[in-house]
Amino acid sequence: MKKEQLSFSYEVLDAFDALYEADQELFKKAREATQFAYAPYSRFYVGAAAALQNGRVITGSNQENASFPAGICAERVLLSAAASAYPGVPLLTIANSYFNKNNGKSERPLAPCGICRQSLLEYELRQQQPIRLLLGGMEGKIFIIDDAKSLLPLYFSGSDMT
Ligand code: THU
């Protein structure tokens, strides 16, 4: 028997001000996008913004449904919007933020859910270049992750079916 280990490292910034200016702009757009979330059921408002290689920025927010499984997370709204508006244009960085109206808090960096990790990974494989992730809230620390792949060790992808 042999043990293997998978790990990844990421940057932790103490606050928004520590981001590069371009990342600050993107992060602000993610925070603003929380306003467009439709989240009457969870009251958890998520916003995401992507910087594309062509200089454009696309945003997304979570869109819930009375039939709960029909709801869709901000990240996947964003990916669908980007792929539809600018097909073939790589995403460089995605910023993610949120506001939890249940407790009024937004201090801890947002961790994308498992389905979104899978979708981010597929997008990254498809565009053949990494997507940087900036994860944060309305205040507090911000995590910078070099690629979507890091968030999904031992991932399943199309190459597993060939
Ligand atoms: N949600 C997102 O939009 N992104 C995440 O990364 C985590 C969760 C949404 C889904 C649902 O509308 C609400 O947040 C509560 O789970």
Side-chain angles (χ1 to χ4, degrees):
M1 199 270 277
K2 140 171 134 169
K3 282 202 176 173
E4 301 210 357
Q5 196 176 337
L6 291 168
S7 63
F8 80 102
S9 50
Y10 59 101
E11 281 177 69
V12 180
L13 305 186
D14 277 337
F16 173 83
D17 296 346
L19 285 168
Y20 292 125
E21 213 176 300
D23 287 341
Q24 286 192 6
E25 288 308 310
L26 191 67
F27 207 82
K28 265 192 224 160
K29 296 229 161 66
R31 284 176 170 170
E32 283 164 17
T34 61
Q35 294 170 43
F36 307 118
Y38 175 66
Y41 305 105
S42 70
R43 294 170 50 84
F44 193 81
Y45 293 73
V46 185
L52 277 67
Q53 196 158 274
N54 63 3
R56 300 294 177 145
V57 170
I58 295 272
T59 60
S61 53
N62 54 329
Q63 303 295 320
E64 297 186 349
N65 194 288
S67 171
F68 291 180
I72 177 165
C73 294
E75 294 87 334
R76 280 175 294 132
V77 168
L78 170 75
L79 294 177
S80 303
S84 306
Y86 299 106
V89 181
L91 308 188
L92 303 178
T93 304
I94 294 180
N96 252 6
S97 189
Y98 70 100
F99 186 72
N100 184 348
K101 277 202 184 165
N102 298 298
N103 59 13
K105 286 192 180 170
S106 180
E107 299 153 353
R108 277 192 315 203
L110 177 72
C113 81
I115 299 177
C116 288
R117 291 178 196 215
Q118 183 72 32
S119 297
L120 289 162
L121 171 80
E122 181 87 24
Y123 212 102
E124 185 171 271
L125 294 173
R126 184 174 163 188
Q127 70 173 27
Q128 297 181 316
Q129 70 180 67
I131 303 175
R132 275 172 82 233
L133 303 171
L134 312 176
L135 309 177
M138 294 296 172
E139 50 189 329
K141 293 189 193 311
I142 294 180
F143 295 165
I144 304 183
I145 299 172
D146 290 338
D147 54 16
K149 218 184 323 193
S150 297
L151 284 182
L152 205 59
L154 297 179
Y155 61 80
F156 174 75
S157 72
S159 63
D160 291 305
M161 292 189 287
T162 55

Short mmCIF file of all heavy atoms in Angstrom, two decimals, residues 37-48 60-65 68 71-77 96-98 102 110-114 116-117 120 135, ligand 1:
data_model
loop_
_atom_site.label_atom_id
_atom_site.label_comp_id
_atom_site.label_asym_id
_atom_site.label_seq_id
_atom_site.Cartn_x
_atom_site.Cartn_y
_atom_site.Cartn_z
N ALA A 37 -29.01 39.23 -7.64
CA ALA A 37 -29.37 37.86 -7.28
C ALA A 37 -30.88 37.79 -7.01
O ALA A 37 -31.48 38.77 -6.54
CB ALA A 37 -28.60 37.41 -6.04
N TYR A 38 -31.46 36.66 -7.35
CA TYR A 38 -32.85 36.39 -6.99
C TYR A 38 -32.78 35.25 -5.99
O TYR A 38 -32.57 34.09 -6.37
CB TYR A 38 -33.65 36.03 -8.24
CG TYR A 38 -35.07 35.61 -7.95
CD1 TYR A 38 -35.99 36.52 -7.44
CD2 TYR A 38 -35.49 34.30 -8.18
CE1 TYR A 38 -37.30 36.15 -7.17
CE2 TYR A 38 -36.80 33.92 -7.92
CZ TYR A 38 -37.69 34.85 -7.40
OH TYR A 38 -38.98 34.47 -7.12
N ALA A 39 -32.84 35.60 -4.72
CA ALA A 39 -32.59 34.59 -3.69
C ALA A 39 -33.61 34.70 -2.54
O ALA A 39 -33.24 34.82 -1.37
CB ALA A 39 -31.16 34.72 -3.16
N PRO A 40 -34.93 34.68 -2.89
CA PRO A 40 -35.94 34.85 -1.83
C PRO A 40 -36.01 33.66 -0.89
O PRO A 40 -36.55 33.78 0.21
CB PRO A 40 -37.25 34.98 -2.62
CG PRO A 40 -36.99 34.26 -3.91
CD PRO A 40 -35.53 34.46 -4.21
N TYR A 41 -35.48 32.52 -1.31
CA TYR A 41 -35.60 31.31 -0.49
C TYR A 41 -34.44 31.16 0.48
O TYR A 41 -34.64 30.93 1.67
CB TYR A 41 -35.76 30.08 -1.40
CG TYR A 41 -36.93 30.27 -2.33
CD1 TYR A 41 -36.75 30.57 -3.68
CD2 TYR A 41 -38.24 30.24 -1.83
CE1 TYR A 41 -37.83 30.83 -4.51
CE2 TYR A 41 -39.33 30.50 -2.66
CZ TYR A 41 -39.12 30.79 -4.00
OH TYR A 41 -40.20 31.05 -4.80
N SER A 42 -33.22 31.33 -0.03
CA SER A 42 -32.06 31.17 0.86
C SER A 42 -31.67 32.50 1.51
O SER A 42 -31.02 32.52 2.55
CB SER A 42 -30.85 30.65 0.08
OG SER A 42 -30.35 31.66 -0.78
N ARG A 43 -32.03 33.62 0.89
CA ARG A 43 -31.59 34.96 1.32
C ARG A 43 -30.06 35.05 1.36
O ARG A 43 -29.47 35.81 2.11
CB ARG A 43 -32.23 35.33 2.66
CG ARG A 43 -33.73 35.50 2.53
CD ARG A 43 -34.45 35.63 3.86
NE ARG A 43 -33.89 36.62 4.76
CZ ARG A 43 -34.17 37.92 4.73
NH1 ARG A 43 -34.98 38.40 3.81
NH2 ARG A 43 -33.64 38.73 5.62
N PHE A 44 -29.43 34.25 0.51
CA PHE A 44 -27.97 34.24 0.38
C PHE A 44 -27.67 34.75 -1.03
O PHE A 44 -27.91 34.07 -2.03
CB PHE A 44 -27.47 32.80 0.58
CG PHE A 44 -25.99 32.68 0.78
CD1 PHE A 44 -25.43 32.92 2.02
CD2 PHE A 44 -25.16 32.31 -0.27
CE1 PHE A 44 -24.05 32.80 2.21
CE2 PHE A 44 -23.80 32.18 -0.08
CZ PHE A 44 -23.24 32.42 1.16
N TYR A 45 -27.19 35.99 -1.10
CA TYR A 45 -27.06 36.70 -2.38
C TYR A 45 -25.63 36.61 -2.87
O TYR A 45 -24.72 37.13 -2.23
CB TYR A 45 -27.48 38.17 -2.20
CG TYR A 45 -28.95 38.30 -1.89
CD1 TYR A 45 -29.45 37.94 -0.64
CD2 TYR A 45 -29.84 38.70 -2.87
CE1 TYR A 45 -30.81 37.99 -0.38
CE2 TYR A 45 -31.21 38.77 -2.60
CZ TYR A 45 -31.68 38.40 -1.37
OH TYR A 45 -33.02 38.43 -1.11
N VAL A 46 -25.44 35.95 -4.01
CA VAL A 46 -24.09 35.71 -4.52
C VAL A 46 -23.88 36.48 -5.83
O VAL A 46 -24.79 36.56 -6.67
CB VAL A 46 -23.87 34.20 -4.76
CG1 VAL A 46 -22.43 33.92 -5.17
CG2 VAL A 46 -24.21 33.40 -3.50
N GLY A 47 -22.69 37.03 -5.98
CA GLY A 47 -22.34 37.73 -7.22
C GLY A 47 -21.00 37.23 -7.73
O GLY A 47 -20.10 36.91 -6.94
N ALA A 48 -20.87 37.14 -9.04
CA ALA A 48 -19.60 36.71 -9.63
C ALA A 48 -19.31 37.61 -10.82
O ALA A 48 -20.23 38.08 -11.50
CB ALA A 48 -19.70 35.25 -10.07
N GLY A 60 -22.56 37.57 -13.06
CA GLY A 60 -23.65 36.62 -12.84
C GLY A 60 -24.07 36.68 -11.38
O GLY A 60 -23.33 37.18 -10.53
N SER A 61 -25.27 36.19 -11.12
CA SER A 61 -25.76 36.14 -9.74
C SER A 61 -26.65 34.92 -9.61
O SER A 61 -27.17 34.42 -10.62
CB SER A 61 -26.54 37.42 -9.42
OG SER A 61 -27.54 37.62 -10.38
N ASN A 62 -26.85 34.45 -8.39
CA ASN A 62 -27.67 33.24 -8.23
C ASN A 62 -29.14 33.55 -8.49
O ASN A 62 -29.65 34.62 -8.13
CB ASN A 62 -27.45 32.57 -6.87
CG ASN A 62 -27.64 33.47 -5.68
OD1 ASN A 62 -27.40 34.66 -5.75
ND2 ASN A 62 -28.07 32.91 -4.57
N GLN A 63 -29.79 32.61 -9.15
CA GLN A 63 -31.19 32.76 -9.56
C GLN A 63 -31.95 31.55 -9.05
O GLN A 63 -31.81 30.46 -9.59
CB GLN A 63 -31.28 32.88 -11.09
CG GLN A 63 -30.47 34.03 -11.68
CD GLN A 63 -30.97 35.41 -11.25
OE1 GLN A 63 -32.20 35.62 -11.18
NE2 GLN A 63 -30.07 36.33 -10.96
N GLU A 64 -32.72 31.76 -8.00
CA GLU A 64 -33.40 30.64 -7.34
C GLU A 64 -34.77 30.37 -7.95
O GLU A 64 -35.25 31.12 -8.80
CB GLU A 64 -33.49 30.91 -5.83
CG GLU A 64 -32.10 31.00 -5.22
CD GLU A 64 -32.10 31.13 -3.70
OE1 GLU A 64 -33.18 31.37 -3.10
OE2 GLU A 64 -31.01 30.99 -3.12
N ASN A 65 -35.38 29.32 -7.47
CA ASN A 65 -36.68 28.90 -7.99
C ASN A 65 -37.47 28.23 -6.88
O ASN A 65 -36.87 27.57 -6.02
CB ASN A 65 -36.46 27.91 -9.15
CG ASN A 65 -37.71 27.71 -9.97
OD1 ASN A 65 -38.66 27.07 -9.53
ND2 ASN A 65 -37.72 28.26 -11.15
N PHE A 68 -36.77 24.15 -5.80
CA PHE A 68 -35.39 24.45 -5.42
C PHE A 68 -34.29 23.97 -6.37
O PHE A 68 -33.37 24.72 -6.66
CB PHE A 68 -35.10 23.95 -4.00
CG PHE A 68 -35.83 24.71 -2.91
CD1 PHE A 68 -35.66 24.36 -1.59
CD2 PHE A 68 -36.66 25.79 -3.21
CE1 PHE A 68 -36.32 25.06 -0.57
CE2 PHE A 68 -37.33 26.49 -2.21
CZ PHE A 68 -37.16 26.11 -0.89
N GLY A 71 -32.96 26.15 -9.23
CA GLY A 71 -32.14 27.34 -8.98
C GLY A 71 -30.73 27.13 -9.50
O GLY A 71 -30.26 26.00 -9.64
N ILE A 72 -30.07 28.23 -9.81
CA ILE A 72 -28.71 28.10 -10.35
C ILE A 72 -27.77 29.10 -9.66
O ILE A 72 -28.16 30.23 -9.37
CB ILE A 72 -28.71 28.22 -11.90
CG1 ILE A 72 -27.30 28.17 -12.48
CG2 ILE A 72 -29.44 29.41 -12.39
CD1 ILE A 72 -27.26 27.91 -13.97
N CYS A 73 -26.58 28.63 -9.37
CA CYS A 73 -25.59 29.44 -8.66
C CYS A 73 -25.02 30.54 -9.56
O CYS A 73 -24.98 30.41 -10.79
CB CYS A 73 -24.42 28.58 -8.20
SG CYS A 73 -24.82 27.34 -6.98
N ALA A 74 -24.52 31.58 -8.89
CA ALA A 74 -23.94 32.73 -9.60
C ALA A 74 -22.82 32.31 -10.55
O ALA A 74 -22.72 32.83 -11.67
CB ALA A 74 -23.39 33.71 -8.56
N GLU A 75 -22.01 31.38 -10.12
CA GLU A 75 -20.85 31.00 -10.94
C GLU A 75 -21.30 30.37 -12.26
O GLU A 75 -20.71 30.63 -13.31
CB GLU A 75 -19.98 29.98 -10.18
CG GLU A 75 -19.30 30.53 -8.95
CD GLU A 75 -20.15 30.44 -7.69
OE1 GLU A 75 -21.40 30.41 -7.80
OE2 GLU A 75 -19.57 30.40 -6.60
N ARG A 76 -22.33 29.52 -12.19
CA ARG A 76 -22.77 28.86 -13.42
C ARG A 76 -23.58 29.80 -14.31
O ARG A 76 -23.57 29.67 -15.53
CB ARG A 76 -23.51 27.56 -13.09
CG ARG A 76 -22.50 26.45 -12.78
CD ARG A 76 -23.14 25.17 -12.33
NE ARG A 76 -23.80 25.33 -11.05
CZ ARG A 76 -25.03 24.93 -10.78
NH1 ARG A 76 -25.75 24.34 -11.71
NH2 ARG A 76 -25.55 25.12 -9.57
N VAL A 77 -24.27 30.75 -13.68
CA VAL A 77 -24.94 31.80 -14.49
C VAL A 77 -23.86 32.56 -15.26
O VAL A 77 -23.97 32.81 -16.47
CB VAL A 77 -25.75 32.76 -13.58
CG1 VAL A 77 -26.20 33.99 -14.35
CG2 VAL A 77 -26.96 32.03 -12.98
N ASN A 96 -15.65 36.35 -6.81
CA ASN A 96 -16.89 35.86 -6.20
C ASN A 96 -17.13 36.55 -4.87
O ASN A 96 -16.23 36.59 -4.03
CB ASN A 96 -16.68 34.38 -5.85
CG ASN A 96 -17.44 33.48 -6.75
OD1 ASN A 96 -18.03 33.93 -7.72
ND2 ASN A 96 -17.42 32.20 -6.43
N SER A 97 -18.35 37.05 -4.69
CA SER A 97 -18.67 37.62 -3.38
C SER A 97 -20.12 37.29 -3.03
O SER A 97 -20.83 36.67 -3.84
CB SER A 97 -18.43 39.14 -3.39
OG SER A 97 -18.54 39.64 -2.09
N TYR A 98 -20.56 37.69 -1.86
CA TYR A 98 -21.91 37.32 -1.43
C TYR A 98 -22.33 38.21 -0.27
O TYR A 98 -21.50 38.90 0.35
CB TYR A 98 -21.93 35.85 -0.94
CG TYR A 98 -21.18 35.67 0.36
CD1 TYR A 98 -21.87 35.58 1.58
CD2 TYR A 98 -19.78 35.64 0.38
CE1 TYR A 98 -21.17 35.46 2.77
CE2 TYR A 98 -19.10 35.52 1.57
CZ TYR A 98 -19.79 35.42 2.76
OH TYR A 98 -19.10 35.33 3.94
N ASN A 102 -29.56 36.51 6.01
CA ASN A 102 -30.09 35.84 7.20
C ASN A 102 -29.42 36.34 8.46
O ASN A 102 -30.06 36.52 9.49
CB ASN A 102 -29.91 34.33 7.09
CG ASN A 102 -30.68 33.77 5.91
OD1 ASN A 102 -31.90 33.87 5.88
ND2 ASN A 102 -29.97 33.22 4.95
N LEU A 110 -16.11 33.21 0.18
CA LEU A 110 -17.10 32.26 -0.33
C LEU A 110 -16.41 31.07 -1.00
O LEU A 110 -15.53 31.25 -1.84
CB LEU A 110 -17.97 32.97 -1.37
CG LEU A 110 -19.01 32.11 -2.07
CD1 LEU A 110 -20.14 31.76 -1.12
CD2 LEU A 110 -19.56 32.83 -3.28
N ALA A 111 -16.81 29.89 -0.65
CA ALA A 111 -16.26 28.69 -1.30
C ALA A 111 -17.29 28.19 -2.30
O ALA A 111 -18.41 27.85 -1.91
CB ALA A 111 -15.98 27.62 -0.26
N PRO A 112 -16.96 28.15 -3.59
CA PRO A 112 -17.93 27.67 -4.58
C PRO A 112 -18.40 26.25 -4.27
O PRO A 112 -17.63 25.43 -3.77
CB PRO A 112 -17.13 27.68 -5.89
CG PRO A 112 -15.98 28.58 -5.67
CD PRO A 112 -15.68 28.54 -4.20
N CYS A 113 -19.66 25.97 -4.56
CA CYS A 113 -20.21 24.65 -4.25
C CYS A 113 -19.61 23.60 -5.18
O CYS A 113 -18.94 23.92 -6.17
CB CYS A 113 -21.73 24.68 -4.38
SG CYS A 113 -22.33 24.52 -6.07
N GLY A 114 -19.85 22.36 -4.90
CA GLY A 114 -19.25 21.26 -5.66
C GLY A 114 -19.63 21.27 -7.13
O GLY A 114 -18.79 21.03 -8.00
N CYS A 116 -20.50 23.79 -8.94
CA CYS A 116 -19.81 24.92 -9.60
C CYS A 116 -18.33 24.62 -9.80
O CYS A 116 -17.75 25.01 -10.82
CB CYS A 116 -20.00 26.21 -8.81
SG CYS A 116 -21.69 26.83 -8.95
N ARG A 117 -17.73 23.93 -8.87
CA ARG A 117 -16.31 23.55 -9.05
C ARG A 117 -16.17 22.69 -10.31
O ARG A 117 -15.24 22.84 -11.08
CB ARG A 117 -15.79 22.79 -7.83
CG ARG A 117 -15.68 23.71 -6.63
CD ARG A 117 -15.22 22.99 -5.39
NE ARG A 117 -15.51 23.83 -4.24
CZ ARG A 117 -14.78 23.93 -3.15
NH1 ARG A 117 -13.70 23.20 -3.02
NH2 ARG A 117 -15.11 24.74 -2.18
N LEU A 120 -16.66 24.99 -13.32
CA LEU A 120 -15.48 25.85 -13.51
C LEU A 120 -14.35 25.05 -14.13
O LEU A 120 -13.64 25.50 -15.04
CB LEU A 120 -15.03 26.45 -12.17
CG LEU A 120 -15.96 27.52 -11.58
CD1 LEU A 120 -15.69 27.72 -10.09
CD2 LEU A 120 -15.79 28.85 -12.31
N LEU A 135 -11.81 34.87 -4.12
CA LEU A 135 -12.96 34.53 -3.29
C LEU A 135 -12.99 35.40 -2.05
O LEU A 135 -12.00 35.47 -1.31
CB LEU A 135 -12.88 33.06 -2.85
CG LEU A 135 -12.65 32.03 -3.97
CD1 LEU A 135 -12.51 30.62 -3.36
CD2 LEU A 135 -13.78 32.06 -4.98
N1 THU B 1 -24.72 29.80 -4.21
C1 THU B 1 -24.05 30.38 -5.23
O1 THU B 1 -24.64 31.09 -6.07
N2 THU B 1 -22.72 30.18 -5.31
C2 THU B 1 -21.99 29.51 -4.38
O2 THU B 1 -20.79 29.40 -4.54
C3 THU B 1 -22.63 28.93 -3.20
C4 THU B 1 -24.11 28.95 -3.22
C5 THU B 1 -26.17 30.06 -4.11
C6 THU B 1 -27.05 28.90 -4.41
C7 THU B 1 -28.30 29.28 -3.63
O3 THU B 1 -29.06 30.17 -4.41
C8 THU B 1 -27.77 30.04 -2.44
O4 THU B 1 -26.45 30.45 -2.79
C9 THU B 1 -27.71 29.23 -1.16
O5 THU B 1 -27.08 28.01 -1.35
#
